[in-house]
Amino acid sequence: MSGIQHANGHRPDGVLDIVHPALMGASRPDPEALSYDLDRVLGAVFRLRAEVPPTAFTATILGTEREGNGVMIDEDGLVLTIGYLITEAEKISLIDNAGRTISASPAAYDHETGFGLVRADEAVDASPVPIGRSEGLSAKDPVVVASFGGIKHAIQGEVATVREFAGSWEYMLDEAICTVPVHPFWGGAALIDRSGSLVGCGSLYVEHSVDGGESVPGNLFVPIDLLAPIRDDMVRTGRARRVPRPWLGVYVSEADDRLVVTGVAENAPGDQCGVQPGDVILSAEGVAVSGLPEYYRTIWSAGEPGAEIRLTVLRDDDVLSIRVRSGDRYSYLKLPRPH
């Protein structure tokens, strides 16, 4: 699996009314060749700024000032973005392509999908992007990747692959959409299909393996089909209506067919039970694990938050057994209040 190593598209460098150097050679979508009104779609993609208090649980990981994109998906100013931009945010601003700043409020966050929702606090001069279907997308399908800034910051691309993806932060998607070429402002960017519909939300920088084993840079998008089953609950309550997964607060990466702990969130269950950076995870719940998907499925099948997770780790030359009393990730976060 080609790994992600960058999740900070929420802090794009440069000013978005100037074409970023990384976009200079990128192919722009041709409005005349499209079956939909490209300007109308791009007008619904906003620059998003979020301010998070320094006391927030995610402040040391994701920062207190976050920046990316959001796309309006209904007439009442509901904006879809990637969740890490707005997790625990107290203040959110949307900036349209005319430079107008619109105040907004956090509406919902869902870690399992990665989606976040915000609601504009005032009228927005834009038409929502229609929601499409990500099911059926496959390699070579043409797409437009759109960030804030209109056509200057939209690129004509294609789907590279649709594949399973597991991230180090206890996160996994069964069918992530990976695209090329890379867009430098990926956080919360809109993935638009050939009909002009929204089919994904930008999440990460990734590298794709292509023929001959060469790796090329691209982006990973959360498929839009994951939104429909949870949208109503998110709007109504601020989160999806499902039992949370057991959470350890342990960051794990694949390295040479091994699972290596690269970090432990302070005061999270793993930290409280003695898991340390550098530990090599040999097994979970008695099951030998060498890949992140297998590891996650094993710990998530142990029950609800509060379930005890048995880990066997290699630390230096010692094999240790550690029992971690899992927790509820959401209980550590300052989540949006339902409106």
Side-chain angles (χ1 to χ4, degrees), residues 169-323:
W169 54 100
E170 296 180 57
Y171 176 76
M172 187 164 70
L173 295 172
D174 292 333
E175 294 186 328
I177 304 164
C178 301
T179 64
V180 290
V182 66
H183 197 298
F185 309 137
W186 60 83
L191 185 67
I192 308 299
D193 70 4
R194 68 181 78 205
S195 73
S197 299
L198 182 68
V199 291
C201 182
S203 178
L204 301 164
Y205 168 97
V206 293
E207 293 187 356
H208 311 294
S209 295
V210 296
D211 294 341
E214 180 185 1
S215 291
V216 296
N219 297 118
L220 181 144
F221 287 80
V222 180
I224 199 63
D225 288 358
L226 297 179
L227 180 61
I230 62 174
R231 178 173 172 171
D232 289 347
D233 288 330
M234 288 180 73
V235 170
R236 186 172 60 252
T237 70
R239 56 187 293 183
R241 186 179 179 182
R242 67 163 79 86
V243 176
R245 294 165 172 166
W247 174 71
L248 307 185
V250 175
Y251 298 89
V252 180
S253 295
E254 296 180 2
D256 299 325
D257 296 324
R258 292 177 138 194
L259 295 181
V260 181
V261 176
T262 55
V264 182
E266 186 177 359
N267 295 322
D271 183 35
Q272 295 174 0
C273 295
V275 180
Q276 297 181 11
D279 286 349
V280 176
I281 298 175
L282 304 176
S283 71
E285 290 294 285
V287 178
V289 289
S290 59
L292 280 176
E294 180 185 27
Y295 166 66
Y296 289 151
R297 290 190 177 101
T298 300
I299 62 175
W300 291 340
S301 67
E304 300 181 8
E308 187 176 75
I309 310 295
R310 294 175 292 120
L311 300 179
T312 302
V313 306
L314 177 66
R315 182 179 299 165
D316 298 325
D317 295 325
D318 297 322
V319 176
L320 308 175
S321 293
I322 302 177
R323 294 179 179 268

Side-chain angles (χ1 to χ4, degrees), residues 52-57 59-60 64:
V52 177
T55 55
F57 184 76
T60 57
T64 58

Side-chain angles (χ1 to χ4, degrees), residues 45 68-71 80-82 84-85 146 185-190 201-203 221:
V45 183
N69 306 279
V71 55
L80 177 69
T81 187
I82 198 67
Y84 60 71
L85 293 178
F185 309 137
W186 60 83
C201 182
S203 178
F221 287 80

